[in-house]
Amino acid sequence: MKTIIKSFVGAVVGTILVLLIAFFVIKQHKPEQTAPIVKNQIQKIPEVKTSYLLPQNTDFTVAAAKSVNAVVHIKTIIGIKPQNYDNFFGSLRDYLYGQPQQALIAFGSGVVISPNGYIVTNNHVVDGADKIIVTFNNKREMGANIIGTSPSTDLALIKVDAKDLPYLTYGNSDNLKVGQWVLAVGNPFNLTSTVTAGIISAKARDIHILGGKTAIESYIQTDAAVNPGNSGGALVNTAGQLIGINAAIASQTGAYEGYSFAIPVNLVRKVVNDLMNYGQIQRAYLGVQIRDIDADFAKKMHLHDLNGVYVAMVVEGSGADKAGIKKGDIITAIDNHPAKDLSELLGIIGQYSPGNVVRVSLLRD
């Protein structure tokens, strides 16, 4: 391996091919100047009229029509419940199926992503399954096999032996905006697919449900109603494109209480491609130990901005090390995608494969 260093005005760029090739731009980290205080200026607060009516050009029917036939019901039969089995949406098996003494019956939803039978769902929906039965929106049932799973992202890829199936195409979760309308589509009751609408409430949410040092939690938060059995279902935009896989709800009762969380589709696409091509996840790493910046840490380290991710250590010999990233640097963006906190940074890096080239923007005193 060799290192290439090029000089630019006010910046240093280093490159090295070790897992990820790390580029970085160094900016002077200076406190922002404060605007002068102007006294005795009183402005009248403008009146703002609010409306809870949908914009007249908002139409969910096209997206719903595209989605309902591509979302399936998944029933799993598990002989012995594994210790790590935790269906975040709970189970309605007692309500719908009853439960034999010798087996656990659980279920969720899934999304058809190809005409030849590939279906993506949550790992916790099929974890430990001895048998998987998929029911389509037209009541057709088929057995499915697990192609691969990713516990660190709570995703799984299964397949049925079929062709010419309705399926959803990928959107781009990086382009999503808070306040954007979305639909949550699932098949929780093994009847037909259900559709609810809401808006994106937040992005890059880390809700600490997966555990483990390698877990990637960078969820899309929405207020679309999602209930038990919708786990693994689709989050789609108004064009009917898949933008996320529903994974969890924030609830004290197990039922919907206002917020749900979906795995961004750009991460889903990366995981699915890895499982199809390799049978396992190909994870990329910058080669740094990092942490969030909160108010206390910023005060302790004399930092002037809470945005970004603090580099606590650089792994010797890693791509980050050979590119020149140092302890104390603050990573602010990856390939011009802002990384305001740890969850956002991990979500971005999770979309890359070993050997990919990335440009890391950072601040350094």
Side-chain angles (χ1 to χ4, degrees), residues 320-343:
D321 182 33
K322 295 181 179 180
I325 295 178
K326 298 178 180 180
K327 178 181 177 180
D329 289 341
I330 300 175
I331 297 174
T332 59
I334 303 290
D335 282 344
N336 295 321
H337 295 294
K340 295 186 292 294
D341 54 33
L342 183 60
S343 175

Side-chain angles (χ1 to χ4, degrees), residues 174-300:
D174 286 346
N175 292 338
L176 298 178
K177 299 183 183 300
V178 172
Q180 179 176 335
W181 283 100
V182 292
L183 300 181
V185 188
N187 193 328
F189 302 112
N190 197 19
L191 299 171
T192 56
S193 295
T194 60
V195 180
T196 58
I199 63 169
I200 295 176
S201 306
K203 297 172 59 178
R205 287 296 202 208
D206 183 354
I207 54 177
H208 308 290
I209 59 174
L210 296 182
K213 294 182 179 180
T214 62
I216 299 177
E217 297 193 37
S218 188
Y219 295 104
I220 302 166
Q221 178 182 320
T222 80
D223 66 352
V226 175
N227 287 297
N230 283 83
S231 189
L235 188 71
V236 303
N237 58 24
T238 53
Q241 296 174 318
L242 182 66
I243 57 171
I245 295 295
N246 296 319
I249 56 176
S251 174
Q252 299 296 321
T253 64
Y256 174 74
E257 292 182 357
Y259 294 107
S260 57
F261 301 90
I263 303 165
V265 75
N266 287 9
L267 178 59
V268 173
R269 179 166 45 198
K270 164 65 168 58
V271 170
V272 166
N273 288 342
D274 281 353
L275 295 178
M276 281 185 179
N277 295 323
Y278 308 107
Q280 59 184 1
I281 303 304
Q282 306 292 302
R283 290 286 295 273
Y285 298 92
L286 283 175
V288 293
Q289 288 187 5
I290 49 182
R291 61 154 294 161
D292 272 325
I293 302 173
D294 55 27
D296 290 338
F297 185 74
K299 182 177 180 180
K300 176 182 176 181

